[in-house]
Amino acid sequence: MAIGTSRQRISRDDLQAAFDRMLGEGESAIRAAVPQAAVVGGAVALALVAVAYVAGRRRGRKRTAVLEVRRI
């Protein structure tokens, strides 16, 4: 496959403009995905805390001694 080239020199400004266009597309995609990622991350963290709480309560019930105090 032949690539057509022009005889013009590529300047630093041309390269900078091309990089800015390329990076700008990626940054916009990332900025659009950040709110969704934050919601999913929060939901996962909340689920982990809930599972740890329930597992800790269950384990505490199994290992807790039953004391009975009677008045004489």
Side-chain angles (χ1 to χ4, degrees), residues 5-53:
T5 59
S6 63
R7 296 279 181 189
Q8 296 176 353
R9 294 183 63 90
I10 299 173
S11 69
R12 183 169 195 249
D13 293 333
D14 295 335
L15 290 174
Q16 186 68 36
F19 286 136
D20 287 342
R21 263 194 322 253
M22 184 173 52
L23 292 177
E25 293 171 4
E27 287 178 1
S28 64
I30 290 171
R31 286 189 182 144
V34 166
Q36 291 175 347
V39 169
V40 170
V44 169
L46 183 62
L48 287 175
V49 169
V51 167
Y53 175 75

Side-chain angles (χ1 to χ4, degrees), residues 54-72:
V54 170
R57 283 192 57 173
R58 184 169 181 243
R59 183 174 176 142
R61 283 189 201 149
K62 283 184 174 182
R63 300 185 83 188
T64 302
V66 177
L67 294 176
E68 186 175 326
V69 178
R70 292 188 180 182
R71 286 192 162 184
I72 300 178

